[in-house]
């Protein structure tokens, strides 16, 4: 079975320590990097070096806002049914919950028609709490949530302020556990802790493990011997946990379920839109399957070590190549290879026929793909399958989980890749250079991107299918429609240019990246570019050297 | 001291980055954690009727993205770098450094970083807006005061007759601020005034802010937010101000407002009366044209009013609905926690306008519980509020209209509920909502479920 990728993490003892204390940032745990801009061959070289070639040391001298791990944690936690989430911090910290006000109930009801909507509570810390501590307010909020709403679980997601003023949320919740009907979950996800939003996945799973998985374990009194029996039984039933992600729609889940049913498997989707009890059911499964390595190695590795449930962390089932690879790995675990091959052959044949007119239309168009590290590489491969070419790539961050899909894609040595969470100033510079015909973009970046005057296909969407074979077909249809008329975006560019000075477009896109780990070659290249002001490496005013005079 | 809060309706002080973005030519530089700026954009723009990033908001906002190293060693050098970069990369005329909780708690001297740049001739202003210090109404006023003190600065005023600076609704936090400010400007220009509207597309931007000291007077169109600004300008530039605490909605209030402004500014009363007469004629022509509808559907019309809005918007809206349209106020909730003197002023204004019960309540959960208890099984209510109130209206079979945040199921462009035009818009939206619940307009079916 494929183990988790990534360096750094060791066996169960180390894992247990990690869980008992707090989650380290992913720059530390996985040596993940957030700042890089250059050709793919250089990135490949860095990823092949020890500690990812110190990509985690890279930074920027100028930066724009992106999202903190609390932002993303709330994105995951707010989807849990029968759960109340308390944001522990000043009132502004909870505002990622906003997107849930209208859609949260509808999306939950897709899974459970009786489900209620979002309950949004903030401990609303103020200046007096910064001096005196916010622990009393937190206790009050937990009691209120328990008495008023009677949820199965109460999650406390902590922002920067409680961490800075020293609130011990874990201890408080431990003390309160006996006095609440709900299970209590502490998620320590203060934003300053990490440059990687994706650390949120670890922070959330850390909380769920402490608050739900362990609690269930105590309750059910599972012993190692009996666990083995249960899992053998489950193996016969073919129960598989598929770890859905926030960027998956219900329609994506339906497609995944269709494919796994064809292999005679039963699917349990966690953690998004699950309810607390689902995490108990999940311990009865015979295999944990990730749909994106960036999301859940922390939880899957722990559960594998602790409960002996094997896990599969490999690729993301988007596009034919990755979907087939993903299905083959799962089928291999259950010795159902023949069924998988039949399924893949049938789907391929159907798709080839259906895609013919779309391929003709899309052939040779150049795409720029931006989003999470795993998703962009498989999406890029899917786009090539549709006949498009790549104009450039942009990843939120980069670590070893990208390796299998990055190698699989083989994007070509000279293709530019930008590693950046948002940072639209770099993107603007790159898009002006590469002039793609279409931009495939993670949500939150779409509005900026529309102002480049080019058509934009969202990288994912709650109302659409992207995964599996159905997803590829739908992407083809939507791309064709987008390219047919993108007047709105053209007019955006015409009437409202982006807010960057003309001089910025003359500079190299990596001009503000600080890269202590870059080899001599890379430094020379950057220096030459900055000093020479050549057309291709453009910095005309020697910006890097004159910065301090400013 | 703040209590815990459910369903909050306002952001933290750093939310004032949106006030900066509302000034043409101005851009914020946020010295805070990596998610602060984007969350506040999410609240006050994306989740506020999709108002958009404007020229340089949303993901474009410069941010130091405070990390653990900055918390341990201080974030001042990073702030310097980011200000430096912003000045070179972004096409702004004025940069406002706003701090978040981390910077303020660890004690970064962010203001002197801004001061150093300003001393070297760069248009940079600094303001402390750590989220724990207050809400975005507080932050909004801090930003205005910082720009006045640090950017407009010590200027000998040369008063220009018949010009006015307007301080009113909160940009973005009021989803209709763009349309509202257009209408307010139109009304004041109708009196013959030159108007520095200061925020939004009708403003000349940074140039207009530089002209603040030279206005003949200031107009504060809000019960309490902006009062400190008006007092500051009086002390600094000796500019007197008219405090009109109720945002005018509809015919009666708008005419009363225009007359007071005209008298305060010492304008020619004939010009004012001519303008008012023309506007009123138009307004009441439309008003009367509703007669068919009102008479025919009298039995189906909602009669009970619930309203959830801030203290700038709520009193004027409810006064119009009660005094001009005949609604019975059942629950008026003002959500922005105004200071005590603001509350007293609002209560006095309401008692001058028929007098009805108003509640100062920021906790949306308590508001929801109260509305549900009062509505009971009734189907005669209209609820003006946010996306949260839509759920109450749907669950109880009543009507709703969007007027406050959070708002993520509607798109707002140039709509206004202020002035004569706002009153007309409100009537059209309110009565049209009657038909959105059913495919039929039969009066026997409208409220039977």
């Amino acid at each position: 079975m494929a183990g988790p990728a990534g360096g750094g993490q060791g066996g169960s003892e180390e894992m247990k320590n990690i869980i008992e204390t707090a989650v380290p940032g992913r720059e530390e745990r996985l040596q993940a990097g957030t700042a890089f801009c250059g050709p793919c061959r250089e990135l490949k070289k860095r990823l092949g070096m020890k500690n990812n070639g110190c990509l985690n040391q890279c930074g920027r001298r100028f930066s724009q806002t992106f999202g903190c791990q609390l932002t993303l944690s709330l994105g995951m936690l707010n989807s849990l049914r029968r759960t109340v989430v308390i944001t522990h911090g000043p009132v502004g910290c909870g505002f990622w919950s906003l997107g849930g006000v209208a859609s949260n109930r509808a999306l939950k009801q897709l899974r459970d028609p009786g489900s209620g909507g979002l309950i949004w509570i903030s401990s609303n810390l103020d200046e007096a709490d910064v001096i005196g501590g916010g622990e009393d307010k937190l206790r009050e909020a937990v009691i209120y949530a328990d008495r008023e709403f009677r949820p199965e679980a109460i999650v406390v997601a902590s922002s920067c302020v409680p961490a800075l003023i020293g609130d011990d949320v874990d201890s408080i919740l431990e003390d309160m556990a006996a006095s609440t009907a709900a299970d209590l979950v502490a998620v320590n996800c203060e934003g300053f802790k990490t440059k990687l939003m994706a650390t949120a996945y670890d922070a959330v799973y850390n909380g769920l493990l402490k608050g739900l998985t362990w609690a269930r374990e105590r309750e059910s009194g599972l012993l190692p011997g009996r666990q083995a029996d249960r899992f053998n039984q489950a193996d016969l039933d073919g129960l598989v946990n598929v770890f859905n992600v926030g960027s998956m729609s219900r329609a994506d889940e339906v497609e995944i379920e269709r494919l796994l049913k064809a292999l005679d498997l039963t699917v349990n989707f966690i953690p998004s839109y699950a309810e607390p009890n689902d995490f108990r059911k999940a311990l009865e499964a015979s295999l944990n399957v990730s749909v994106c390595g960036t999301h859940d190695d922390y939880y899957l590795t722990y559960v594998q070590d602790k409960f002996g449930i094997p896990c599969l962390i490999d690729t993301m089932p988007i596009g034919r190549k990755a979907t087939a690879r993903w299905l083959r790995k799962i089928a291999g675990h259950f010795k159902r290879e023949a069924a998988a091959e039949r399924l893949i052959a049938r789907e391929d044949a159907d798709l080839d026929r259906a895609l013919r007119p779309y391929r003709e239309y899309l052939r040779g168009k150049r795409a720029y793909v931006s989003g999470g590290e795993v998703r962009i590489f498989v999406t890029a491969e899917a786009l090539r399958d549709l006949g498009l070419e790549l104009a450039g790539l942009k990843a939120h961050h980069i670590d070893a989980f990208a390796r299998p899909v990055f190698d699989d894609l083989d994007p070509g040595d000279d293709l530019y890749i930008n590693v950046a969470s948002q940072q639209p100033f770099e993107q603007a510079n790159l898009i002006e250079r590469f002039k793609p015909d279409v931009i495939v973009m993670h949500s939150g970046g779409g509005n900026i991107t529309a102002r480049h005057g080019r058509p934009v296909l969202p990288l994912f969407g709650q109302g659409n299918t992207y995964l599996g074979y159905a997803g590829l077909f739908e992407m083809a249809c939507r791309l064709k429609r987008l390219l047919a008329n993108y007047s709105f975006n053209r007019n955006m560019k015409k009437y409202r240019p982006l807010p960057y000075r003309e001089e910025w477009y003359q500079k190299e896109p990596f001009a503000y990246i600080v890269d202590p780990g870059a080899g001599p070659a890379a430094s020379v290249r950057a220096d030459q570019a900055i000093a020479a002001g050549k057309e291709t490496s453009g910095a005309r005013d020697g910006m890097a050297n004159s910065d301090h005079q400013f | 001291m703040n209590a815990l809060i459910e369903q909050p309706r306002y952001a933290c002080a750093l939310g004032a980055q949106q006030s900066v973005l509302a000034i043409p030519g101005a851009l914020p530089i946020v010295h805070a954690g990596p998610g602060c700026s984007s969350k506040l954009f999410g609240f006050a723009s994306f989740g506020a009727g999709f108002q958009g990033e404007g020229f340089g908001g949303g993901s474009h906002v410069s941010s130091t993205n405070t990390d653990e190293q900055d918390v341990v060693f201080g974030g001042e050098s990073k702030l310097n770098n980011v200000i430096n970069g912003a000045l070179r990369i972004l096409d702004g005329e004025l940069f406002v450094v706003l701090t978040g909780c981390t910077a303020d708690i660890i004690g970064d001297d962010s203001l002197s970083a801004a001061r150093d740049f300003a001393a070297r001739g760069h248009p940079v202003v600094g303001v402390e807006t750590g989220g724990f210090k207050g809400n975005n109404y507080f932050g909004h006023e801090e930003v205005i005061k910082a720009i006045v003190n640090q950017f407009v600065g010590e200027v000998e005023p040369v008063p220009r007759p018949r010009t006015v600076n307007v301080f009113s609704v909160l940009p973005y936090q009021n989803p209709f601020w763009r349309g509202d400010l257009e209408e307010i400007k139109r009304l004041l220009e109708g009196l013959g005034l030159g108007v520095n509207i200061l925020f939004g597309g009708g403003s000349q931007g940074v140039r207009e802010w530089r002209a603040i000291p030279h206005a003949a007077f200031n107009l504060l169109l809000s019960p309490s937010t902006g009062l400190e600004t008006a007092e500051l300008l009086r002390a600094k530039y000796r500019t007197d101000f008219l405090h009109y605490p109720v945002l005018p909605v509809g015919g009666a209030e708008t005419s009363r407002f225009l007359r007071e402004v005209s008298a305060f500014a010492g304008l020619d009363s004939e010009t004012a009366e001519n303008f008012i007469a023309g506007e009123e004629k138009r307004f009441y022509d439309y008003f009367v044209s509703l007669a068919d509808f009102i008479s025919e559907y009298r039995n189906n019309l909602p009669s009970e009013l619930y309203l959830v809005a801030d203290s700038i918007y709520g009193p004027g809206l409810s006064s119009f609905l009660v005094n001009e349209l005949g609604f019975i106020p059942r629950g008026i909730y003002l959500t922005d926690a105004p200071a005590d003197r603001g509350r007293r002023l609002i209560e006095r204004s309401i008692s001058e306008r028929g007098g009805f019960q108003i509640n100062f309540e920021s906790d949306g959960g308590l508001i929801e519980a109260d509305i549900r208890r009062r509505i009971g099984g009734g189907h005669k209510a209209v609820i003006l509020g946010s996306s949260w109130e839509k759920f109450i209206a749907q669950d109880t079979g009543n009507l709703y209209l969007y007027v406050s945040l959070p708002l993520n199921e509607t798109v707002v462009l140039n709509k206004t509920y202020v002035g004569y035009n706002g009153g007309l818009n409100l009537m059209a939206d309110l009565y049209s909502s009657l038909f959105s619940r059913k495919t039929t307009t039969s009066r026997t079916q409208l409220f039977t479920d």
Side-chain angles (χ1 to χ4, degrees):
Chain A
M1 185 81 307
Q9 76 275 56
S12 55
E13 264 317 298
E14 193 181 332
M15 207 67 198
K16 189 151 166 40
N17 284 338
I18 289 170
I19 287 162
E20 280 174 355
T21 55
V23 177
R26 284 195 170 188
E27 50 271 69
E28 195 185 317
R29 183 169 81 83
L30 301 170
Q31 286 85 42
T34 53
F36 179 87
C37 187
C40 281
R41 67 169 174 280
E42 275 185 37
L43 182 64
K44 209 176 275 180
K45 203 167 75 194
R46 296 289 284 276
L47 287 173
M49 290 158 74
K50 190 163 174 276
N51 291 335
N52 292 339
C54 298
L55 282 170
N56 59 345
Q57 305 288 321
C58 299
R60 283 184 175 81
R61 280 175 301 130
F62 172 71
S63 51
Q64 290 162 306
T65 182
F66 51 102
C68 64
Q69 57 162 339
L70 172 67
T71 307
L72 186 52
S73 297
L74 288 174
M76 284 178 85
L77 295 167
N78 284 338
S79 79
L80 297 175
R81 290 182 273 123
R82 300 172 196 277
T83 303
V84 174
V85 181
I86 297 168
T87 307
H88 185 34
V91 70
C93 297
F95 280 119
W96 198 248
S97 302
L98 186 86
V101 173
S103 61
N104 187 279
R105 180 154 82 169
L107 292 173
K108 282 176 175 166
Q109 286 176 348
L110 288 176
R111 280 82 177 179
D112 170 10
S115 187
L118 177 74
I119 296 163
W120 170 4
I121 295 175
S122 165
S123 61
N124 198 11
L125 299 181
D126 60 18
E127 200 140 24
D129 305 313
V130 167
I131 297 159
E135 302 192 343
D136 289 342
K137 250 183 205 171
L138 177 59
R139 283 195 192 89
E140 194 195 327
V142 171
I143 294 294
Y144 175 76
D146 191 55
R147 305 288 187 271
E148 183 74 18
F149 303 107
R150 287 290 173 207
E152 285 178 18
I154 296 169
V155 181
V156 176
S158 301
S159 79
C160 296
V161 172
L164 288 172
I165 63 178
D167 284 358
D168 188 348
V169 177
D170 281 283
S171 300
I172 294 170
L173 295 192
E174 220 165 278
D175 288 348
M176 296 185 78
S179 54
T180 58
D183 286 331
L184 302 182
V185 177
V187 175
N188 301 313
C189 50
E190 58 273 21
F192 67 80
K193 183 79 177 289
T194 175
K195 292 174 195 151
L196 276 106
M197 221 173 149
T199 302
Y201 302 123
D202 304 347
V204 167
Y205 279 127
N206 174 281
L208 294 177
L209 280 171
K210 288 182 298 190
L212 295 181
T213 312
W214 284 4
R216 298 303 172 192
E217 183 195 336
R218 279 201 304 275
E219 188 184 288
S220 62
L222 286 180
L223 296 169
R226 287 187 54 212
Q227 276 181 40
D229 292 344
R230 277 171 182 257
F231 296 139
N232 287 337
Q233 183 61 42
D235 208 348
L236 291 175
D237 297 337
L239 179 63
V240 174
N241 294 322
V242 172
F243 283 72
N244 57 359
V245 297
S247 59
M248 268 171 75
S249 64
R250 180 63 196 141
D252 283 326
E253 289 180 5
V254 169
E255 170 70 358
I256 290 298
E257 204 160 12
R258 177 180 78 87
L259 297 174
L260 294 182
K261 262 188 182 157
L263 302 180
D264 220 10
L265 297 170
T266 312
V267 185
N268 179 41
F269 287 106
I270 54 169
S272 301
Y273 296 100
E275 55 182 60
N277 230 359
D278 291 343
F279 290 87
R280 176 184 188 178
K281 185 181 169 197
L283 293 179
E284 309 289 329
S286 50
L287 181 66
N288 283 329
V289 183
S290 160
V291 290
C292 174
T294 296
H295 284 74
D296 29 43
D297 77 297
Y298 181 89
Y299 185 84
L300 265 52
T301 315
Y302 179 81
V303 169
Q304 177 170 273
D305 288 352
K306 176 96 179 158
F307 299 98
I309 304 178
C311 65
L312 171 67
I313 302 174
D314 193 78
T315 186
M316 187 166 195
I318 288 178
R320 294 199 294 180
K321 196 168 165 184
T323 303
R325 175 176 165 142
W326 190 75
L327 286 172
R328 284 188 177 113
K329 297 241 171 190
I330 297 170
H333 177 77
F334 292 97
K335 309 265 179 296
R336 292 172 195 176
E337 289 93 342
E341 292 309 325
R342 279 197 302 277
L343 172 66
I344 292 166
R346 198 182 62 222
E347 294 288 328
D348 270 349
D350 286 353
L351 208 48
D352 268 333
R353 224 177 14 254
L355 283 175
R356 205 167 298 140
Y358 295 96
R359 283 198 169 116
E360 260 162 50
Y361 187 85
L362 297 171
R363 191 172 316 284
K365 300 273 195 301
R366 296 168 64 254
Y368 187 88
V369 189
S370 167
E373 54 170 359
V374 174
R375 186 149 196 160
I376 57 163
F377 294 130
V378 292
T379 300
E381 176 60 39
L383 295 174
R384 282 213 295 221
D385 188 14
L386 295 176
L388 289 98
E389 291 165 16
L390 297 181
L393 295 165
K394 179 182 168 190
H396 293 326
H397 72 268
I398 199 90
D399 59 30
F401 291 111
R403 287 292 295 283
V405 277
F406 189 37
D407 293 347
D408 230 26
L409 173 68
D410 190 16
D413 283 352
D414 295 327
L415 189 76
Y416 246 62
I417 180 162
N418 182 207
V419 178
S421 303
Q422 303 291 39
Q423 309 309 324
F425 77 110
E426 285 177 7
Q427 180 183 309
N429 185 308
L430 287 159
I431 298 281
E432 283 311 306
R433 271 159 212 266
F434 299 130
K435 301 190 177 5
D437 298 308
V438 59
I439 303 172
V440 182
M441 176 62 53
H442 187 281
S443 82
N447 51 355
I448 327 156
T449 309
R451 285 164 76 184
H452 291 304
R454 293 160 201 284
V456 180
L457 177 74
L459 185 67
F460 55 81
Q462 280 300 337
N464 300 99
T465 314
Y466 281 84
L467 268 59
Y469 297 96
L472 184 64
F473 182 69
E474 204 177 291
M475 267 195 276
C477 299
R478 297 176 65 217
L479 273 170
K480 186 173 179 224
R481 230 170 21 232
L482 267 177
L483 285 160
N485 187 346
Y486 56 102
S487 303
F488 185 80
N489 290 12
R490 262 203 295 258
N491 286 327
M492 293 267 277
K493 185 181 165 83
K494 186 171 160 195
Y495 295 109
R496 283 294 178 275
L498 286 161
Y500 306 107
R501 292 183 187 279
E502 197 39 51
E503 303 89 83
W504 165 240
Y505 293 99
Q506 311 303 327
K507 285 177 185 148
E508 287 289 353
F510 51 75
Y512 281 86
I513 291 180
V514 183
D515 184 354
S523 318
V524 169
R525 180 176 61 85
D527 290 347
Q528 281 172 346
I530 286 160
K534 286 179 296 187
E535 189 50 40
T536 49
S537 44
R540 285 181 188 151
D541 60 357
M543 181 218 66
N545 300 324
S546 65
D547 232 27
H548 295 291
Q549 302 160 11
F550 201 67
Chain B
M1 197 169 125
N2 294 344
L4 74 97
I5 189 166
E6 192 191 337
Q7 299 175 15
R9 312 302 173 116
Y10 49 69
C12 64
L14 185 56
Q17 69 167 11
Q18 296 300 127
S19 302
V20 176
L21 289 165
I23 303 170
L27 292 171
I29 296 172
V30 170
H31 183 30
C36 297
S37 175
S38 60
K39 267 180 271 198
L40 293 162
F41 168 74
F43 172 71
S45 178
F46 196 77
F50 302 98
Q51 296 177 49
E53 62 184 16
F55 175 64
S59 334
H60 298 291
V61 175
S62 310
S63 169
T64 53
N65 302 331
T66 306
D67 60 28
E68 204 151 26
Q69 227 178 350
D70 305 331
V71 166
V72 177
F73 300 108
E76 290 167 18
S77 68
K78 203 184 205 177
L79 175 60
N80 274 314
N81 278 340
V82 171
I83 297 175
N84 220 337
L87 288 167
R88 296 171 151 261
I89 295 171
L90 286 158
D91 196 6
E93 297 169 62
L94 169 64
F95 292 85
V96 180
V97 176
L98 300 109
T99 60
C101 297
T102 45
D104 287 358
I105 291 176
I106 64 178
D108 280 352
D109 192 355
S110 319
L111 298 186
S112 60
R115 249 195 320 271
D116 288 350
F117 277 93
R120 276 177 278 156
H122 298 295
V124 180
V125 165
V127 54
E128 287 189 349
T129 45
F132 58 85
K133 293 188 171 172
N135 62 19
N136 52 332
Y137 293 82
F138 161 81
H140 171 74
E141 187 133 29
E142 290 299 296
V143 161
I144 296 176
K145 288 190 294 183
I147 297 176
V148 167
N149 281 325
Q150 300 171 39
F151 181 72
V152 181
E154 307 308 318
V155 175
E156 187 49 42
V158 187
R160 293 173 195 150
R162 290 190 300 281
T163 55
V164 59
N165 302 315
V166 178
F167 299 93
S168 181
V169 295
L170 229 66
Y172 294 91
Q173 169 74 39
N174 167 2
F176 310 119
W177 69 282
R178 292 175 292 182
D180 292 345
L181 293 182
E182 280 177 11
E183 175 71 357
I184 292 168
K185 187 172 179 178
R186 186 187 75 85
L187 292 170
L188 295 171
E189 284 174 349
L191 293 178
L193 287 166
V195 182
N196 295 329
I197 201 74
L198 302 175
F199 296 100
S203 164
Q204 300 295 311
V206 173
R207 187 153 54 96
E208 199 173 272
W209 280 70
R210 285 219 186 263
I212 284 178
H214 312 303
F217 72 107
N218 293 316
L219 171 63
L220 176 58
L221 200 43
S222 148
S224 58
T225 301
L227 190 50
E228 286 183 23
T229 305
E231 285 167 349
L232 169 72
L233 295 177
R234 186 167 58 191
K236 204 175 174 77
Y237 307 121
R238 304 183 300 279
T239 324
D240 207 357
F241 68 91
L242 169 64
H243 190 176
Y244 195 90
V246 175
L247 203 59
V249 180
E253 188 73 45
T254 308
S255 298
R256 173 176 172 176
F257 161 71
L258 290 174
R259 287 195 177 99
E260 273 200 37
V261 172
S262 171
F264 184 87
L267 302 175
D268 171 35
S269 69
E270 204 185 315
T271 314
E273 287 307 325
N274 283 342
F275 177 63
I276 291 168
E279 289 289 316
E280 280 193 352
K281 179 180 182 311
R282 175 173 168 269
F283 180 81
Y284 288 109
D285 281 350
Y286 279 117
F287 189 89
V288 168
S289 69
L290 277 172
D292 290 352
F293 167 80
I294 299 276
S295 330
E296 186 64 16
Y297 289 96
R298 171 71 68 194
N299 290 336
N300 304 325
L301 293 178
S303 55
E304 298 176 352
L305 173 66
Y306 294 86
L307 184 141
V308 185
D310 69 14
S311 68
I312 308 178
Y313 224 72
L317 274 179
S318 43
S319 169
F320 172 68
L321 291 160
V322 172
N323 294 314
E324 293 215 52
L325 298 186
F327 278 83
I328 296 161
R330 297 270 293 149
I332 310 296
Y333 309 86
L334 305 182
T335 55
D336 56 327
D340 282 344
R341 61 174 174 172
R343 287 180 195 212
R344 286 194 297 274
L345 194 56
I346 293 161
E347 277 157 0
R348 201 165 64 230
S349 312
I350 293 291
S351 75
E352 283 172 14
R353 289 163 175 82
F356 45 87
Q357 170 78 36
I358 42 172
N359 309 286
F360 295 99
E361 181 55 69
S362 301
D363 189 303
L366 298 180
I367 293 173
E368 176 179 344
D370 198 51
I371 294 179
R372 284 186 191 271
R373 187 175 58 77
R374 285 167 184 272
I375 283 186
H379 298 298
K380 282 288 183 190
V382 61
I383 312 176
L384 278 69
S386 67
S387 289
W388 293 110
E389 280 68 50
K390 177 186 171 183
F391 288 135
I392 308 177
Q394 284 180 331
D395 292 351
T396 59
N398 284 287
L399 301 178
Y400 66 93
L401 209 59
Y402 290 133
V403 297
S404 56
L405 264 53
L407 269 191
N408 42 18
E409 289 180 297
T410 189
V411 174
V412 180
L413 290 174
N414 61 344
K415 177 170 285 185
T416 176
Y417 287 147
V418 167
Y420 299 108
N421 283 324
L424 297 176
N425 290 340
L426 184 56
M427 283 189 284
D429 290 351
L430 186 63
Y431 293 127
S432 300
S433 74
L434 200 65
F435 304 104
S436 65
R437 285 187 61 242
K438 292 281 182 187
T439 49
T440 168
T441 57
S442 157
R443 56 180 152 174
T444 55
Q445 286 183 34
L446 273 167
F447 282 98
T448 50
D449 60 344

